[in-house]
Amino acid sequence: MMLNHDILIVGGGLTGLRAAVGLCDKFNVGLISKVYPVRSHSIAAQGGINASLANNPDGRDDTWEKHAFDTIKGSDYLGDQNAIEIMCKEAPGVVYEMEHWGCPFSRFPDGTIAQRPFGGGGFPRTCFSADITGHSLLNTLYERAVYKKVKIYPEWFVIALCVDDGQCHGVIVLDMKSGKLIPVRAKVTIFGTGGYGRVYRNSTNALINTGSGIGMAYKAGVPLKDMEFVQFHPTTLIGTNILMTEGCRGEGGYLLNNKGERFMQKYAPGAMELAPRDIVSRCIMTEMEEGRGFEHPLGTYIQLDLRHLGEKKISERLPGIRSICIDFIGIDPVKEPIPIMPSQHYSMGGIDVNEKGASSVKGFYAAGECACVSVHGANRLGGNSLLDTIVFGKLTAQAIEEDLPKSKLKPKEKPLLALKKEMEKKISALSQPGGERPYKLAADLGAVMNEKVGIFRTKKELVQALDEVIKIKERYKKVSISSADLHMNFELQNALELENMLDVAHTIVLGALLREESRGAHFRRDFPKRNDKKWLKHTIAKIGKKGEPLISFKEVKITKYQPMERKY
Amino acid sequence: MIKSDFYTFKILRYDAKEPKKDPYFALYKIRVIPGLTVLGMLLRIRDEIDGTLSFRSSCRSAICGSCAMVINGKIDLACRTQVAVFETDTIILEPLPNFEVIKDLVVDMTPFWQMYEKVQPYLVRKSPEPEKEIYQSENDRKKIDQFVNCILCACCYGACPVLNRDENYAGPAALAKLQRFSADSRDERATGVLEKFNNEQGVWGCDTVFRCIDACPKDVRPTDGIVGLRKTLLKNKAKELLGVKEK
Ligand SMILES: Cc1cc2nc3c(=O)[nH]c(=O)nc-3n(C[C@H](O)[C@H](O)[C@H](O)COP(=O)(O)OP(=O)(O)OC[C@H]3O[C@@H](n4cnc5c(N)ncnc54)[C@H](O)[C@@H]3O)c2cc1C
Ligand code: SF4
Ligand code: SF4
Ligand code: FES
């Protein structure tokens, strides 16, 4: 059996759904997701989405140009300025569009969409729906997809991308309910498969965020970009690493060390707690390393104190945060400070695409967190990622709508059938008994990434990490799973994801080792300064003959903002 | 409080692909440390003891709605249930009721989504779109707050006694979703659209015994939605009798 679509979208998060809604009227579109779309990780976004609506009385002079400047500066000048300008210009339009489609944004007393300040933004421009903005946006887009009758294949797990002769032909899917392997042929394939947070042991990401889309694209020969740039969020709950949104600080929360000091005073006296994430995360790490953290069986922590905001504001603006704290750590933030630590949060790097979502492979597009346009450069600003997913989901759809009718793309059956055979072989090899269990390798990988490829990096540790990742890749050749069943076999799914996670990790480590400077979220203790002369460029990783990444570089696009020192 | 170092998990297992094999409880003994959730334990059981165990999960923070199941007799999300809350060191896990089982704790949610789609779960607009946002007062926004919070986890669906006897009943989540839009100041659906649910399979099917409210992990209170819809329907009826025309 072979399934055919004009356009195949992989991913039921904001990116995938936005692209589908844009294309389904004119083309035969299919959307595949390994979970029901509303279970995608976009659902967990809390704080908000940036757009220069200028609704906030303190932000009346906001413009898209100011938003663009904040984003460029936040990116530590690694973001492509043309793409950033497009995103910020589109922002108000897509936010209004989501509102018209029903998104229940919080409101100001005058009935306009409410906006709060966020880190690294000169203006209060983050639009929100209490502290469940991702939930509200994703439900709205899913509702829109239901209204538009988009053909959705839930719980279909894509296991390989088919690229042959410089062209994309489709994917191989495992239908988790029936256990069937199905080749899907399409003229155009779009990935909106999300980030790779689970490559790290401590991450705010959902358990399903393995980065398998990025890994599959890499395996198929599509280049990746800027993989060494990994965002660590400053405030995640100790133990589970569930996110405590930047909105907590946007609403006025403090960060305190064990002396009761608002230590951000020392590091970023202007922006204080609302300095960009890379900076705040490093400050917290420094406080903890220098003995000013608090001790707890779950690890060292810093306090996020909301008490002075009062019960009313906390319940109105941060109700989800309050219930997470009560459910997951038994603390009511109205009465006690929240124990937090930084942890992995966002994937700045990803599949190398342009501002139309196009990769260098014909017929293959990507957008959202799995892609790298790049609009976030070396550090993403809070509230810009939800924006990225919707804007580039939409623009990718528009570009395809224009280009597809003119193109002569003819996806072929043969390479798909060959790839299916290959996947069958791979699965049967995994089902041979006697090898190591996949979870052990995943745990080892998570530990290496956490300990050696974290907030502060050094050559010595990165060399060790590279060595260890390569060893785990070797061990992977002999992993085995308990059952050869193909239906609802989550151990099989984990084993298949793991292979992609290893490739993703390999590109992150190698990029981090080669980049001998500090920029945004990539901080090298042995090269603590930014070096524009040598390193104002994107890292490109492409798979080599033996699976190893081959690194090259690409120019950063600068329109009118020359790199300056980043001070907050 | 943790009741002992080792806990026993009794998990109901069944595979719809092997219908001849009856469902049975599998027993797993596993070490427990404070702060762990039922989902955390399930993940460890699958990793370390039995790779064939099937259950759904994604966000692990009670927002994606993947992991609803019966935990020691009560329907809840596995990810937000601490192992230590129970007065026992045995934890019994069963799949969500009112659904067919696909495998172990994974149920077939198709009927749930079908009902969801039936209520036209989207904002209906007739007026031309304004250039900027459609204004909504803070108060009007508050009216839909509880319903907006629904994570479509189906805990309520599993708990509803009416669904247990009548699978054609729309059910608490779908009706709460209908109220989410019907009560949205921006929604312009024709009043007649609600008529589809003005019957025993819709808003009048509910026994208002509030099981769904107890089961809901997000305080959505679906019954409030159902009662709200009933009021709207009665109001519309009264208007019709008085000869008031719909705009
Ligand atoms: C806790 C948290 C809070 C956040 N808060 C904010 C915020 O306030 N503001 C902001 O701007 N950003 C925020 N972010 C970031 C933002 O939420 C994400 O970057 C964004 O939602 C990603 O959307 P996406 O559509 O690209 O991917 P996702 O929503 O992750 O969706 C990926 C989709 O791909 C599918 N998929 C993946 N692999 C496969 C496969 N192999 N086969 C089939 N399907 C597959 C999945 O099923 C899923 O549907 C937050 C992130 C986290 C972790
Ligand atoms: S109150 Fe109504 S909808 Fe809720 S469980 Fe009872 S019968 Fe079902
Ligand atoms: S109403 Fe509550 S229990 Fe029902 S689906 Fe929504 S969140 Fe879950
Ligand atoms: S895993 Fe998302 S609700 Fe439990």
Side-chain angles (χ1 to χ4, degrees), chain B residues 167-179:
Chain B
E167 58 183 41
N168 291 316
Y169 173 48
L175 292 172
K177 184 62 79 182
L178 181 58
Q179 173 68 354

mmCIF file of all heavy atoms in Angstrom, chain B residues 167-179:
data_model
loop_
_atom_site.group_PDB
_atom_site.id
_atom_site.type_symbol
_atom_site.label_atom_id
_atom_site.label_comp_id
_atom_site.label_asym_id
_atom_site.label_seq_id
_atom_site.Cartn_x
_atom_site.Cartn_y
_atom_site.Cartn_z
ATOM 1 N N GLU B 167 -23.928 5.307 24.295
ATOM 2 C CA GLU B 167 -22.701 5.787 23.645
ATOM 3 C C GLU B 167 -22.967 6.930 22.681
ATOM 4 O O GLU B 167 -22.035 7.546 22.185
ATOM 5 C CB GLU B 167 -21.977 4.639 22.945
ATOM 6 C CG GLU B 167 -22.845 3.965 21.904
ATOM 7 C CD GLU B 167 -22.127 2.783 21.263
ATOM 8 O OE1 GLU B 167 -21.451 2.030 22.012
ATOM 9 O OE2 GLU B 167 -22.254 2.619 20.049
ATOM 10 N N ASN B 168 -24.249 7.216 22.430
ATOM 11 C CA ASN B 168 -24.549 8.335 21.544
ATOM 12 C C ASN B 168 -24.672 9.661 22.288
ATOM 13 O O ASN B 168 -24.872 10.711 21.672
ATOM 14 C CB ASN B 168 -25.837 8.075 20.772
ATOM 15 C CG ASN B 168 -25.636 6.958 19.780
ATOM 16 O OD1 ASN B 168 -24.615 6.921 19.086
ATOM 17 N ND2 ASN B 168 -26.569 6.025 19.742
ATOM 18 N N TYR B 169 -24.596 9.613 23.595
ATOM 19 C CA TYR B 169 -24.636 10.845 24.382
ATOM 20 C C TYR B 169 -23.379 11.667 24.065
ATOM 21 O O TYR B 169 -22.272 11.133 23.970
ATOM 22 C CB TYR B 169 -24.692 10.484 25.867
ATOM 23 C CG TYR B 169 -24.559 11.664 26.806
ATOM 24 C CD1 TYR B 169 -25.317 12.834 26.613
ATOM 25 C CD2 TYR B 169 -23.681 11.609 27.887
ATOM 26 C CE1 TYR B 169 -25.184 13.911 27.477
ATOM 27 C CE2 TYR B 169 -23.552 12.681 28.760
ATOM 28 C CZ TYR B 169 -24.300 13.832 28.542
ATOM 29 O OH TYR B 169 -24.162 14.889 29.394
ATOM 30 N N ALA B 170 -23.564 12.983 23.881
ATOM 31 C CA ALA B 170 -22.435 13.827 23.466
ATOM 32 C C ALA B 170 -21.315 13.855 24.506
ATOM 33 O O ALA B 170 -20.135 13.975 24.163
ATOM 34 C CB ALA B 170 -22.920 15.242 23.194
ATOM 35 N N GLY B 171 -21.681 13.760 25.774
ATOM 36 C CA GLY B 171 -20.656 13.670 26.811
ATOM 37 C C GLY B 171 -20.184 15.022 27.320
ATOM 38 O O GLY B 171 -20.349 16.047 26.656
ATOM 39 N N PRO B 172 -19.596 15.001 28.496
ATOM 40 C CA PRO B 172 -19.239 16.255 29.178
ATOM 41 C C PRO B 172 -18.230 17.132 28.442
ATOM 42 O O PRO B 172 -18.430 18.346 28.348
ATOM 43 C CB PRO B 172 -18.670 15.782 30.522
ATOM 44 C CG PRO B 172 -18.434 14.322 30.394
ATOM 45 C CD PRO B 172 -19.338 13.814 29.325
ATOM 46 N N ALA B 173 -17.188 16.553 27.879
ATOM 47 C CA ALA B 173 -16.136 17.398 27.283
ATOM 48 C C ALA B 173 -16.661 18.127 26.054
ATOM 49 O O ALA B 173 -16.432 19.326 25.873
ATOM 50 C CB ALA B 173 -14.921 16.560 26.914
ATOM 51 N N ALA B 174 -17.394 17.411 25.203
ATOM 52 C CA ALA B 174 -17.896 18.024 23.972
ATOM 53 C C ALA B 174 -18.891 19.128 24.320
ATOM 54 O O ALA B 174 -18.872 20.210 23.710
ATOM 55 C CB ALA B 174 -18.537 16.966 23.085
ATOM 56 N N LEU B 175 -19.755 18.864 25.292
ATOM 57 C CA LEU B 175 -20.742 19.890 25.654
ATOM 58 C C LEU B 175 -20.063 21.090 26.316
ATOM 59 O O LEU B 175 -20.453 22.239 26.087
ATOM 60 C CB LEU B 175 -21.826 19.288 26.553
ATOM 61 C CG LEU B 175 -22.723 18.262 25.818
ATOM 62 C CD1 LEU B 175 -23.661 17.550 26.790
ATOM 63 C CD2 LEU B 175 -23.533 18.920 24.694
ATOM 64 N N ALA B 176 -19.038 20.825 27.115
ATOM 65 C CA ALA B 176 -18.299 21.947 27.719
ATOM 66 C C ALA B 176 -17.638 22.776 26.623
ATOM 67 O O ALA B 176 -17.567 24.009 26.702
ATOM 68 C CB ALA B 176 -17.244 21.423 28.692
ATOM 69 N N LYS B 177 -17.170 22.110 25.582
ATOM 70 C CA LYS B 177 -16.553 22.824 24.457
ATOM 71 C C LYS B 177 -17.606 23.664 23.745
ATOM 72 O O LYS B 177 -17.358 24.824 23.382
ATOM 73 C CB LYS B 177 -15.925 21.799 23.507
ATOM 74 C CG LYS B 177 -15.163 22.373 22.338
ATOM 75 C CD LYS B 177 -13.971 23.213 22.762
ATOM 76 C CE LYS B 177 -12.782 22.353 23.145
ATOM 77 N NZ LYS B 177 -11.639 23.201 23.601
ATOM 78 N N LEU B 178 -18.810 23.105 23.570
ATOM 79 C CA LEU B 178 -19.882 23.857 22.926
ATOM 80 C C LEU B 178 -20.181 25.123 23.737
ATOM 81 O O LEU B 178 -20.330 26.212 23.181
ATOM 82 C CB LEU B 178 -21.130 22.981 22.803
ATOM 83 C CG LEU B 178 -22.346 23.615 22.121
ATOM 84 C CD1 LEU B 178 -21.996 24.081 20.717
ATOM 85 C CD2 LEU B 178 -23.508 22.626 22.056
ATOM 86 N N GLN B 179 -20.230 24.968 25.041
ATOM 87 C CA GLN B 179 -20.492 26.131 25.887
ATOM 88 C C GLN B 179 -19.343 27.140 25.804
ATOM 89 O O GLN B 179 -19.565 28.340 25.833
ATOM 90 C CB GLN B 179 -20.709 25.687 27.348
ATOM 91 C CG GLN B 179 -20.833 26.824 28.356
ATOM 92 C CD GLN B 179 -22.118 27.643 28.185
ATOM 93 O OE1 GLN B 179 -22.880 27.436 27.251
ATOM 94 N NE2 GLN B 179 -22.331 28.606 29.076
#
